[in-house]
Amino acid sequence: MLAAASSCHSVLPTMRRMMSAPGVWPVSQASRAALRKSRTFATISEDAFRIPIIDFSKYRDAATAAEKERTAEEVVRGFTDVGFVYLSNHGIPQETVQQAFQKSAEFFKLPIEKKSELAWRDPRANRGFVQVGRERVTQSADADEIKQLREKAPDYKESMEIGRDWDTTYKNYWPREEDAPGFRRAMLGFFQTCHELHVSVMRAIALGLRLDEAFFDDKINEQYHNLRLLSYPPIKTQLLHGEGQARAGAHSDYGTLTLLFQDSVGGLEVQNPHTGQFQPATPIPGTIVINAGDLLARWSNDVLRSTLHRVVAPPAKAISDTEGITPARQSIAFFCNPNQGAEISCLPTCLTGNGQAKYPPVTTEEYIVGRLKATYV
């Protein structure tokens, strides 16, 4: 945590000794008891704000319970301090990721007429194609304010939103097979693969928060997730010079976790809450960037951090003395959510020192649909 979560100071020396260990918290019974009693997390300095790289094979393939617990605590520490981690050795084959990127690129190369047939229509469904300028991500929840932001500085990106395919109420919008061969099959497989990683990371978080490892299993099993394919077209730099303009504005995500697969172009930046400055989350081959979302922050009473982030344009290539053009960028985000009707209320191990929860209970659907209604035209 970047700020202490309790007024109790009696265990601070213990916490400082814990924080001196490189990369993990000790797992002694005394340390656990101290944390459970006080809910105190030591601070980190401004210049120590770095996204940690976590080798998740040490959790997946742990030979002992202690080894698994150490990695789980490392995962929680990353979300506590920064809100973001790089996950290496995560178990998703690189060939699977490459295929998803290839099929995504093929989809966005379709004529706009064919993509527009699949247009996003309903925040409750949150499915379909979103053309450049239709979305304006922001922290605001005011529809009029977002409308003004969208008109002045729309997000320069297009996306394709895919949900669970067996939903009896809301259906995915798929391109015809002859237009995008293999697209549907590849994306459904990738959706399932990402869900399985989500379950594993949530089990690690549960263990790191001193809950039963399977605590979240029956709260995320409905796969109420959103697979978002993203394409950032090349754009002249003059179009990015307007006030508040970015390829995707500063925002936090809505759900539990976001799994972000980046290409090599870059552009993702994460805000340092100490300074307000945005720092690059440079692509690291073989890793997935994972960040905590708003509902996980609420669930954990802000013990886990939902950090602001944005996408900015990478360096442009000059095309004249006064103009440049940015390269195209691709990314794939898998927005992990709790079950549609799950009640998000403070976890028992995350209450403050006086036993208080910072937020009233809310269901997943109430929170996410409310945010989506204000975000899109």
Side-chain angles (χ1 to χ4, degrees):
M1 192 75 162
L2 293 168
S6 170
S7 60
C8 178
H9 301 287
S10 61
V11 296
L12 280 175
T14 301
M15 297 303 108
R16 293 189 184 103
R17 288 194 298 273
M18 291 169 66
M19 294 292 284
S20 67
V24 299
W25 292 342
V27 293
S28 70
Q29 293 295 332
S31 295
R32 286 199 210 95
L35 277 169
R36 188 179 298 110
K37 180 179 178 182
S38 69
R39 302 304 310 156
T40 299
F41 293 86
T43 60
I44 63 171
S45 62
E46 294 177 12
D47 59 2
F49 187 81
R50 299 288 185 273
I51 300 176
I53 302 174
I54 296 174
D55 181 353
F56 201 55
S57 66
K58 294 180 179 178
Y59 178 85
R60 295 189 302 112
D61 305 326
T64 65
E67 182 181 355
K68 176 176 278 194
E69 193 170 51
R70 281 194 296 270
T71 306
E73 289 169 343
E74 192 176 355
V75 170
V76 166
R77 170 77 176 277
F79 292 132
T80 296
D81 287 351
V82 182
F84 276 74
V85 301
Y86 290 102
L87 212 65
S88 67
N89 297 316
H90 41 71
I92 300 179
Q94 187 60 26
E95 295 78 12
T96 301
V97 177
Q98 290 172 344
Q99 182 191 45
F101 270 95
Q102 177 186 339
K103 293 302 179 184
S104 176
E106 291 172 2
F107 171 80
F108 287 115
K109 288 178 182 176
L110 291 175
I112 186 63
E113 295 79 12
K114 289 188 179 294
K115 291 184 289 187
S116 295
E117 292 174 357
L118 312 172
W120 187 100
R121 296 177 177 87
D122 187 333
R124 294 167 299 175
N126 193 25
R127 287 159 164 80
F129 171 69
V130 181
Q131 66 184 25
V132 172
R134 187 176 183 189
E135 182 185 18
R136 192 14 165 126
V137 291
T138 172
Q139 284 306 96
S140 175
D142 184 275
D144 291 335
E145 181 182 349
I146 294 173
K147 182 175 184 291
Q148 294 173 17
L149 284 170
R150 187 186 298 111
E151 291 171 351
K152 181 174 68 174
D155 291 345
Y156 278 99
K157 67 178 187 295
E158 55 182 347
S159 68
M160 180 63 175
E161 315 289 332
I162 300 168
R164 55 188 182 182
D165 205 46
W166 64 88
D167 196 301
T168 57
T169 305
Y170 303 110
K171 301 298 184 182
N172 284 316
Y173 302 142
W174 296 109
R176 288 183 285 270
E177 181 66 18
E178 58 267 29
D179 292 333
F183 177 81
R184 178 174 182 169
R185 182 177 64 254
M187 292 309 156
L188 289 179
F190 196 65
F191 189 102
Q192 186 63 36
T193 296
C194 290
H195 168 71
E196 290 167 3
L197 178 58
H198 172 231
V199 172
S200 293
V201 177
M202 290 298 288
R203 287 175 178 171
I205 289 171
L207 196 60
L209 290 175
R210 292 165 295 281
L211 298 164
D212 184 274
E213 188 176 11
F215 178 87
F216 293 110
D217 282 9
D218 63 355
K219 302 168 183 64
I220 59 175
N221 62 320
E222 293 176 2
Q223 302 191 26
Y224 188 63
H225 311 313
N226 173 227
L227 173 61
R228 172 177 290 183
L229 312 179
L230 287 151
S231 173
Y232 298 83
I235 184 172
K236 291 182 178 179
T237 53
Q238 288 297 323
L239 294 174
L240 292 171
H241 289 167
E243 180 185 354
Q245 189 63 67
R247 279 187 154 181
H251 63 285
S252 60
D253 294 336
Y254 306 156
T256 50
L257 300 172
T258 300
L259 316 182
L260 180 67
F261 303 83
Q262 302 189 80
D263 65 10
S264 60
V265 173
L268 176 66
E269 294 187 340
V270 177
Q271 188 181 55
N272 183 332
H274 293 295
T275 65
Q277 299 298 309
F278 283 86
Q279 301 177 193
T282 305
I284 299 176
T287 67
I288 303 171
V289 176
I290 302 184
N291 63 281
D294 296 345
L295 286 179
L296 187 57
R298 289 176 71 113
W299 229 339
S300 69
N301 223 24
D302 285 338
V303 169
L304 307 181
R305 177 181 294 276
S306 182
T307 301
L308 288 177
H309 51 284
R310 67 185 184 187
V311 177
V312 299
K317 178 182 178 181
I319 57 175
S320 72
D321 291 340
T322 59
E323 182 63 282
I325 189 165
T326 67
R329 176 180 184 261
Q330 267 190 284
S331 66
I332 299 175
F334 188 75
F335 296 102
C336 309
N337 298 314
N339 293 344
Q340 184 174 2
E343 182 181 270
I344 309 303
S345 56
C346 185
L347 298 170
T349 59
C350 293
L351 294 166
T352 60
N354 59 2
Q356 296 298 308
K358 296 172 66 174
Y359 303 100
V362 66
T363 68
T364 302
E365 184 178 33
E366 287 170 344
Y367 184 82
I368 292 179
V369 172
R371 294 291 301 270
L372 287 170
K373 281 182 177 177
T375 299
Y376 290 94
V377 173

